[in-house]
Amino acid sequence: PLGSCALFEFIDPASPRAGLRTQLARLPEPGVRRPRARAHVTNALLLYKNDADLTAAEAELAVAAAMDPRYPLGRYNHAILLTLHGRFDEALESLKAAVKRDGAWAEEARRAPEFEPLREDPRYLAILSSAPPPRRRERPTSKAQEPKADAEAPAPSQKRSAQPGRRRY
């Protein structure tokens, strides 16, 4: 699932008599990058929240940011841990990338206590003030989630059962 391998053959123009040169190359599956980046973000958050291992968490987020630079959650959390390490220039670049992808991260950054050392930095304020509007995340409705017609809705006078319905996971 991580990729495929391919065997390439090249003619070396410097020495055409030498014939063909073969090269084995790994071709990563493009659809795997986002799930793998998410896995690294999850690892980092577990290391940060549960073990308080900032160094390992930052390393995981660096991998996630490199693997999928367009993934705003990874970039935002990477900015947090870079700030905690005192690497403010890198943190601002990562925060800028996250905010550029989704303006909701600017609001998160305003509330996050980890960004306290950057609150007065003009670059930080510029990033937050230039944030685009947050992206809307609408969930697709399935037939089971569609609202029922008025005829099928229970009458307001009917009491609901005291027992909550069972959920299947």
Side-chain angles (χ1 to χ4, degrees):
L2 300 179
S4 306
C5 290
L7 186 62
F8 294 103
E9 293 185 353
F10 298 97
I11 296 177
D12 188 2
S15 60
R17 291 183 183 218
L20 299 176
R21 183 177 58 114
T22 58
Q23 179 72 37
L24 183 63
R26 182 172 161 242
L27 304 172
E29 184 69 36
V32 172
R33 293 181 92 56
R34 176 66 51 95
R36 288 187 67 202
R38 284 183 180 170
H40 285 287
V41 170
T42 301
N43 290 346
L45 294 176
L46 289 171
L47 286 165
Y48 172 55
K49 305 262 184 199
N50 295 343
D51 294 338
D53 188 350
L54 297 180
T55 304
E58 193 276 323
E60 285 287 329
L61 286 169
V63 170
M67 187 168 289
D68 190 359
R70 296 171 39 130
Y71 184 39
L73 176 65
R75 298 303 298 263
Y76 174 79
N77 285 301
H78 194 214
I80 284 177
L81 287 174
L82 288 169
T83 302
L84 293 174
H85 280 280
R87 295 164 51 191
F88 301 130
D89 293 334
E90 295 171 70
L92 289 168
E93 287 300 316
S94 193
L95 179 63
K96 183 178 180 180
V99 168
K100 183 178 177 183
R101 295 290 302 156
D102 188 352
W105 295 111
E107 289 302 317
E108 291 289 326
R110 282 185 180 93
R111 293 190 300 263
E114 292 91 348
F115 288 117
E116 192 60 39
L118 298 173
R119 297 275 187 237
E120 302 300 321
D121 191 320
R123 298 172 297 170
Y124 173 78
L125 298 172
I127 290 169
L128 298 185
S129 65
S130 67
R135 290 186 176 184
R136 289 184 174 222
R137 291 181 179 84
E138 296 181 17
R139 294 182 182 171
T141 58
S142 66
K143 291 182 180 180
Q145 294 175 343
E146 290 178 2
K148 295 181 180 181
D150 291 338
E152 297 177 24
S157 62
Q158 293 177 348
K159 289 187 176 181
R160 294 184 183 201
S161 171
Q163 293 284 2
R166 296 184 78 155
R167 293 184 181 177
R168 292 184 185 172
Y169 295 100

